[in-house]
Structure formats: C-alpha cells, structure tokens
Amino acid sequence: MSVIPSKVSEYSDEELCALVADGCRNAEEELVKRYLRPVRVYARPYFLVGGDSEDLIQEAMFGLLKAIREFDPGRDVRFKTFAEVCIRNRIRSAVTNAVRSKHAPLNNSVPFESPMLGVGISLEEQYISREEETELLTSLEQHLSLLERKVLKFFLLGLSYQEISEQVGRPIKSVDNAVQRIRRKVADGFGVFSES
C-alpha cells in the first residue's frame, strides 16, 4: 500500500486522486479532510422534518467517496466539479428514494437553495436560475426577523450551530430555534409564524 509523502498540502486534488487509485489511503483521508466543509455546505440546504441532518451529511460523504474513487483525470474536468456533482446527486438520490419508500422524514425535505448550477446547463439558464434564487432569498428575508436573517446567512455558508452562535452572540438554543422557524416558514411558503 502506498504512503503519501509528508507535504500533502502541496498536492492538488487531482494528484491525490491519482495516489488513491494507486492504493494510497492517506491520500483519500487528505481529500476527505479537504472536502468535509463543502460536504456540510451541500447537505445543509435540505431540511428533514422529523429527520436528522447527519443522515444527509452521511449521504453527501458517500458521494464524496464515490468521486474520489471514480475520478478520471482524462475527462478534462476538475476534481472539485466532479465531486460537487457526485455529492449533490447522492443527496438528491437519497431524498428521491425516501419519497418512494416508507421513510417519512425524507418525504418533507425542503431545499434552501436552487438546484446546482453549471453542469449541463446553458449560461442563459444559469443566469436565470441565479436570478430566481436571488428573488427567492430576497422574498424569504422579508418574512424573517433580523436574527433569522443573520442565522440564515451563516447557515447557508455551512457554519455549525456553535459557529453561528459565536457570530451572532446568542446561545446555541436560540440559533437552533431560529433555524427551525426559518424551516417552517420555507415549508409554509414564507408564512409568518407567531412565537409563543
């Protein structure tokens, strides 16, 4: 089994994938570390009523591992792009399969963002999708409190509840409550909920 040289930070993602193909487990571990935050970011926009966000993060990790093991440098695609496609496809697959099965929590997933851009979509369609996403977020923000707007911004950037708590200067429980209110508003088409 291959062992990766000591300065892994000097290797590109594509070079690490080549090492993985040669059986180097350390290279695979390095790629997983590099993409841990993006995996969380890609999984974050989906909301599971009655489910656990860790389930979608796990699915996203399976997508990342597939990308690492199946990346083909001969296709003239950057690893980052290929990994994004694999991760998002795995998440969508999990949600779609859940709708068809008896796993009720996944049936009510609500994306916080528009579908992935850039793969098989024309520039015009990408522009229109970005415009629609901007309009959606602008419309949503009109129904959010100041705290909810701040929390949503950091949530979509992939920050943990702890990190959001530090950014907004509120307890983690307040952050969690804000996220739950945002999710209910999105699921209800931005209806305003009163807090008791």
Side-chain angles (χ1 to χ4, degrees):
M1 189 174 289
S2 302
V3 176
I4 194 166
S6 59
K7 295 191 178 190
V8 293
S9 61
E10 295 179 6
Y11 284 83
S12 70
D13 294 345
E14 291 76 12
E15 290 169 328
L16 288 172
C17 283
L19 289 170
V20 170
D22 288 338
C24 180
R25 299 251 328 148
N26 292 345
E28 185 174 70
E29 290 171 12
E30 173 62 20
L31 280 167
V32 167
K33 277 194 265 182
R34 284 185 188 182
Y35 282 85
L36 194 54
R37 189 172 189 100
V39 158
R40 285 177 47 206
V41 170
Y42 299 147
R44 266 254 156 107
Y46 293 90
F47 161 58
L48 303 177
V49 175
D52 188 345
S53 62
E54 291 300 316
D55 294 336
L56 283 178
I57 291 172
Q58 184 177 7
E59 290 296 329
M61 286 301 294
F62 287 137
L64 173 61
L65 291 174
K66 173 185 165 94
I68 291 170
R69 294 172 183 164
E70 296 181 9
F71 178 72
D72 179 5
R75 290 187 143 193
D76 197 31
V77 173
R78 291 178 53 217
F79 174 76
K80 182 178 180 179
T81 303
F82 182 67
E84 181 177 316
V85 170
C86 290
I87 292 166
R88 290 185 188 244
N89 284 346
R90 182 67 186 230
I91 292 169
R92 287 190 190 106
S93 241
V95 171
T96 301
N97 289 337
V99 169
R100 293 183 189 140
S101 70
K102 62 183 178 184
H103 303 296
L106 288 176
N107 290 345
N108 297 314
S109 67
V110 178
F112 273 155
E113 67 176 27
S114 65
M116 180 190 56
L117 301 176
V119 179
I121 299 174
S122 73
L123 289 175
E124 181 180 8
E125 290 171 320
Q126 287 180 35
Y127 178 78
I128 291 169
S129 291
R130 285 190 190 112
E131 289 291 313
E132 288 171 352
E133 180 179 344
T134 301
E135 287 176 20
L136 178 69
L137 285 174
T138 301
S139 177
L140 173 61
E141 286 178 353
Q142 293 173 1
H143 297 281
L144 301 178
S145 68
L146 179 59
L147 174 63
E148 290 167 347
R149 286 194 299 270
K150 289 179 183 177
V151 167
L152 178 61
K153 178 180 112 181
F154 293 122
F155 185 85
L156 292 177
L157 289 173
L159 273 62
S160 69
Y161 280 19
Q162 175 66 43
E163 293 167 325
I164 295 171
S165 170
E166 292 166 6
Q167 291 291 326
V168 299
R170 299 289 291 270
I172 293 174
K173 184 62 179 163
S174 293
V175 170
D176 181 51
N177 289 341
V179 169
Q180 297 312 314
R181 287 192 305 272
I182 294 166
R183 288 176 169 169
R184 285 194 311 264
K185 289 176 184 181
V186 169
D188 192 49
F190 308 156
V192 180
F193 289 79
S194 59
E195 280 189 72
S196 37

